[in-house]
Amino acid sequence: TDGSGISLLEGPCSVYLDGDFVGRGVIPMVATGQKFRAGFGIDPQLRAWREFVSREEKIQGGNRMVTYKYRLVLDNYKKENVPVRVFDRMPYSTGDIKATIGEPKDKLSEDKEYERAFRPLGILRWDVDVKAGSAAETARIVDYGFQLEFDKDMDIATITGSEMERTGREYLMKRLNAE
């Protein structure tokens, strides 16, 4: 929470933790008393990655249904359990494509701010505990899937990572600033 008594202007920042430089970032416009998130670099003792599991496609009536399944893998090389907030995203559409998440084994976060501002945009968040020394075959796994439903005559295309990052960030910032 900004307790400085002055508003913070949006712009680039250099981040230090315990006097050590840990990275660069961008800080949003923050009003006095407003909560905001600040990153303090990566923790090399925690590792995470995403695995594609499967893709299934079927036609049902006049619609094409495409189901994707993914696995998030979390390794903890520390000697203590660690609470981890895991984010991923699923496709977001306001048009002719309906995107729905399946029933993940781990429940999505019930944080009210997340449910209001981010969940409707296809941002997925889990708050999980990763046990000490869990890696490889004992890694913490988060399995989930989602389904896209659209007209069977419609084709969908994939955009590149840089296009997705740019357009997703621009849309998210506009949406958050509007609220």
Side-chain angles (χ1 to χ4, degrees):
T1 303
D2 178 8
S4 68
I6 59 172
S7 295
L8 302 175
L9 298 177
E10 179 178 355
C13 65
S14 296
V15 181
Y16 293 82
L17 181 62
D18 297 328
D20 295 326
F21 176 76
V22 294
R24 298 188 196 287
V26 175
I27 191 165
M29 171 80 128
V30 181
T32 301
Q34 180 181 355
K35 288 183 179 182
F36 68 101
R37 297 199 195 290
F40 292 98
I42 63 168
D43 184 340
Q45 297 299 101
L46 296 172
R47 307 273 170 91
W49 67 92
R50 180 180 192 229
E51 297 175 345
F52 173 75
V53 175
S54 67
R55 178 185 186 276
E56 297 176 14
E57 187 172 327
K58 67 180 181 180
I59 304 293
Q60 185 172 324
N63 288 339
R64 181 182 318 253
M65 318 258 298
V66 183
T67 303
Y68 295 89
K69 293 189 178 175
Y70 291 92
R71 174 174 296 128
L72 305 173
V73 182
L74 306 165
D75 290 335
N76 176 8
Y77 295 98
K78 293 178 177 245
K79 292 183 174 147
E80 65 271 350
N81 295 353
V82 177
V84 177
R85 183 171 292 165
V86 182
F87 288 94
D88 203 349
R89 67 177 323 129
M90 56 182 262
Y92 172 76
S93 172
T94 58
D96 299 329
I97 300 173
K98 179 181 175 186
T100 54
I101 188 164
E103 287 295 322
K105 292 177 186 173
D106 292 286
K107 289 179 63 172
L108 291 170
S109 175
E110 295 178 347
D111 178 78
K112 298 300 178 201
E113 181 183 4
Y114 160 72
E115 288 180 339
R116 178 191 62 76
F118 299 100
R119 178 68 189 94
L121 299 175
I123 307 294
L124 306 175
R125 174 181 149 187
W126 294 268
D127 298 318
V128 299
D129 286 316
V130 184
K131 293 186 187 212
S134 59
E137 63 274 350
T138 62
R140 176 67 161 89
I141 305 294
V142 177
D143 286 314
Y144 76 97
F146 58 85
Q147 183 175 70
L148 301 179
E149 182 177 353
F150 50 94
D151 187 279
K152 69 180 179 184
D153 296 326
M154 179 187 284
D155 288 323
I156 57 175
T158 303
I159 61 175
T160 67
S162 60
E163 289 173 312
M164 184 172 14
E165 183 179 317
R166 180 185 52 79
T167 58
R169 183 174 50 247
E170 288 171 1
Y171 178 81
L172 186 59
M173 291 309 291
K174 284 180 189 175
R175 174 85 186 253
L176 290 175
N177 289 332
E179 293 180 352

